[in-house]
Amino acid sequence: MKCVSPPNDDTFKPTAMSKNGHSNAGFVSDHADTVQKPMGKTYSLELAEKGGSNNSSTSKNKAIVAKDPDYNPYQHRDVEHPTTNSETLFHLLKGSLGTGILAMPNAFRNSGYITGSIGTIVIGFICTYCIHQLVKAEFELCRRKKIPSMNYPAVAETALGEGPGFFRACAPYIGTVVNTFLLIYQLGTCCVYVVFVASNIKAIVDAVGDTNIDVRLCMIIILLPLILINWVRNLKYLAPFSTLANAITMVSFGIICYYIFREPVSTEGKDAFGKPENFPLFFGTVLFALEAIGVILPLENEMKTPQKFGGNCGVLNVSMVLIVFLYVGMGLFGYLNYGNAVLGSITLNMPEHELLSQCVKGMLAFAIYITHGLACYVAIDITWNDYVGKRLGPQRNKLLWEYAVRTILVLMTFLLAVAIPNLELFISLFGALCLSALGLAFPALIQICTHWYETKGLRKAWLLLSNFVLIIVGILGLVIGTYTSLKEIVLTFSE
């Protein structure tokens, strides 16, 4: 799911993403604290290419890398409000608590409780490894270019420019490709938000009114306020909504745990191993829930001690261990409690006519709803600042065009949600389609290109072998996961 110095109109270039950017459609994986307070200098590719007199240059056959061993990007970062290690850890954790974790029991329904537990841990390990590689590549490329930091598209473009001839030819286009995947993912996250909110409102209304209203009617009711929320141009006005949503979320998760454990859980009648054809749906859901690739670089770039982000006991490893633990726990016990009847969000399985259950559904629907503007902000930022706004240039009606773009993007997500109001398939689709590339394949490709001319012998063989495996896994996850999700969508709405 983008932090750079904000222009005068209070918008900025894309570097920080919502987790959902995490995640995972976490409430603020594009958390307001990070996006609201952009760091002093996060460089895009245009500035990276002007890094210094010793920038890497290319010859006909080889990229000649000129490095200054004395240049440390960490020492040259000008961050207005740097975050501590504990603050960064908290941002990563709170970004994981969203629609993704609520869908984990459904993911375990597709995989079985043993396969799901092991699979979530393995996928979490792979995601963590890829994030480490991306952060290390950014540091190395910043040192070569003599600039403090880069965003994700700039890292990809600069890395391919340092690689072998074929990849150097692709370098001018990879930034746009990365931005496209980020944009699709963020719009997909907004679709998930709309379906989640409408589904929980429908559950409340059906229980209270003893009726069965169409979920699409709930979507129409929430549309106009949704558009108005996304007309807010300055993130500082959205930050209080993030704080409120996080408080509501913590309380709601406590109540959900009460419902899961108030009766003894049992493995009786539950599948230990799911059907192989359903595993791509599990894979896509877990990726959507776990992957925080869009928010990683902005968080690391804004740290007071960024060197503490990596390492065996660094911020990233500690946060990912806790996140994987939470996700395995929610998925495992949620599935063991509700079995094959579990729905796309565990809130929809909670008792229909209990007041406490209705409160949880309403609270989480409200929390997701008020942070929709934060999730969509990244998509608006990429679309407007990188493409539409640049093409329009300076003109009198530019502000009006910006509001039109904001409205169109909200309507696009709304129409897609109306067309396919299926929460679990949405989550699986966008997890497989976007995060297989952003979280697995692209970091591996960046790692290969960054160190192509620096490694030899066994080191180069390991560089190629390990990263090609990740690229293949990413491509297979993208193709098979997307195909399976689309097939299930077609089957669901043809019945």
Side-chain angles (χ1 to χ4, degrees):
M1 256 10 298
K2 286 176 82 168
C3 268
V4 299
S5 302
N8 294 330
D9 62 352
D10 291 319
T11 56
F12 55 88
K13 289 288 184 190
T15 337
M17 291 223 53
S18 147
K19 213 169 167 290
N20 256 233
H22 192 194
S23 100
N24 139 11
F27 295 121
V28 196
S29 49
D30 36 15
H31 54 84
D33 296 340
T34 295
V35 183
Q36 178 196 356
K37 301 179 289 187
M39 60 178 295
K41 292 183 180 180
T42 300
Y43 289 80
S44 61
L45 184 71
E46 290 82 356
L47 293 180
E49 290 173 342
K50 301 175 183 178
S53 59
N54 288 333
N55 286 353
S56 59
S57 59
T58 59
S59 64
K60 182 176 180 180
N61 299 316
K62 180 177 179 180
I64 302 172
V65 179
K67 295 187 297 183
D68 181 359
D70 296 328
Y71 182 85
N72 187 339
Y74 294 154
Q75 298 174 357
H76 294 79
R77 291 182 179 175
D78 180 19
V79 184
E80 184 178 358
H81 300 290
T83 56
T84 64
N85 296 345
S86 58
E87 288 172 338
T88 304
L89 176 65
F90 179 71
H91 289 326
L92 284 171
L93 289 176
K94 74 177 183 179
S96 71
L97 301 178
T99 53
I101 191 171
L102 296 174
M104 285 302 296
N106 183 264
F108 274 57
R109 178 179 67 85
N110 290 315
S111 66
Y113 58 86
I114 292 181
T115 306
S117 300
I118 297 173
T120 303
I121 294 172
V122 171
I123 294 173
F125 174 82
I126 294 174
C127 290
T128 306
Y129 174 80
C130 289
I131 292 171
H132 275 294
Q133 300 313 304
L134 181 64
V135 172
K136 290 177 182 177
E138 184 216 8
F139 178 84
E140 176 62 22
L141 294 169
C142 286
R143 187 170 65 171
R144 294 179 190 178
K145 296 293 184 180
K146 290 189 176 181
I147 57 176
S149 58
M150 295 185 195
N151 59 27
Y152 195 164
V155 170
E157 209 161 329
T158 306
L160 265 65
E162 301 278 312
F166 171 75
F167 293 117
R168 291 204 302 273
C170 299
Y173 312 104
I174 189 65
T176 300
V177 173
V178 172
N179 261 341
T180 300
F181 276 102
L182 289 172
L183 178 61
I184 294 173
Y185 172 62
Q186 287 306 128
L187 291 177
T189 298
C190 293
C191 292
V192 170
Y193 277 27
V194 172
V195 176
F196 178 88
V197 173
S199 299
N200 281 276
I201 292 176
K202 168 183 163 57
I204 296 172
V205 173
D206 287 351
V208 174
D210 194 21
T211 182
N212 184 25
I213 66 170
D214 193 328
V215 68
R216 294 174 177 87
L217 178 60
C218 297
M219 294 180 187
I220 294 174
I221 293 172
I222 67 176
L223 175 59
L224 181 58
L226 213 56
I227 292 174
L228 296 178
I229 289 174
N230 283 278
W231 277 7
V232 178
R233 299 175 67 243
N234 194 325
L235 277 176
K236 73 179 181 180
Y237 299 120
L238 295 175
F241 295 110
S242 167
T243 304
L244 177 60
N246 288 324
I248 293 173
T249 304
M250 297 302 176
V251 175
S252 300
F253 272 65
I255 299 174
I256 291 173
C257 289
Y258 160 73
Y259 275 105
I260 290 177
F261 293 108
R262 71 174 180 175
E263 295 180 2
V265 295
S266 171
T267 59
E268 185 178 352
K270 316 302 190 304
D271 297 326
F273 305 94
K275 298 178 181 178
E277 59 266 28
N278 290 334
F279 187 81
L281 298 174
F282 164 79
F283 179 79
T285 302
V286 175
L287 267 187
F288 183 92
L290 276 178
E291 190 57 82
I293 199 70
V295 77
I296 289 300
L297 292 184
L299 280 175
E300 190 263 355
N301 289 341
E302 288 197 347
M303 288 183 66
K304 184 177 182 179
T305 55
Q307 61 272 18
K308 297 293 182 65
F309 187 78
N312 294 333
C313 296
V315 173
L316 177 60
N317 283 353
V318 172
S319 64
M320 289 303 290
V321 167
L322 293 174
I323 288 169
V324 170
F325 174 79
L326 289 173
Y327 275 69
V328 171
M330 180 66 78
L332 175 63
F333 294 109
Y335 173 63
L336 292 181
N337 189 301
Y338 296 108
N340 291 326
V342 71
L343 299 174
S345 170
I346 194 172
T347 58
L348 301 176
N349 286 99
M350 296 169 67
E352 294 182 0
H353 300 288
E354 292 188 18
L355 179 60
L356 186 60
S357 171
Q358 302 301 334
C359 289
V360 171
K361 294 174 185 177
M363 289 163 60
L364 285 175
F366 177 73
I368 288 286
Y369 188 71
I370 62 177
T371 54
H372 184 280
L374 287 164
C376 202
Y377 199 97
V378 178
I380 292 170
D381 183 54
I382 294 174
T383 305
W384 178 252
N385 287 329
D386 279 13
Y387 300 102
V388 179
K390 280 186 177 180
R391 290 179 180 273
L392 288 176
Q395 56 173 276
R396 187 173 58 182
N397 297 324
K398 194 169 183 179
L399 182 60
L400 181 62
W401 280 106
E402 181 182 343
Y403 281 118
V405 168
R406 290 171 177 269
T407 304
I408 290 171
L409 288 176
V410 174
L411 288 175
M412 285 173 56
T413 61
F414 168 77
L415 292 174
L416 188 55
V418 167
I420 313 171
N422 189 305
L423 187 62
E424 59 266 31
L425 294 181
F426 252 135
I427 290 176
S428 178
L429 172 63
F430 288 108
L433 176 63
C434 300
L435 295 176
S436 294
L438 291 170
L440 302 179
F442 288 163
L445 180 61
I446 289 170
Q447 182 74 357
I448 289 175
C449 292
T450 300
H451 299 287
W452 181 263
Y453 292 109
E454 289 191 324
T455 54
K456 296 179 181 179
L458 291 177
R459 286 186 61 201
K460 189 156 195 173
W462 171 248
L463 174 75
L464 295 175
L465 176 62
S466 59
N467 286 291
F468 273 132
V469 169
L470 290 174
I471 291 173
I472 292 171
V473 171
I475 293 174
L476 289 176
L478 189 154
V479 174
I480 299 175
T482 302
Y483 170 78
T484 304
S485 298
L486 290 175
K487 184 182 73 172
E488 289 296 320
I489 289 173
V490 172
L491 289 175
T492 299
F493 292 98
S494 61
E495 294 175 353

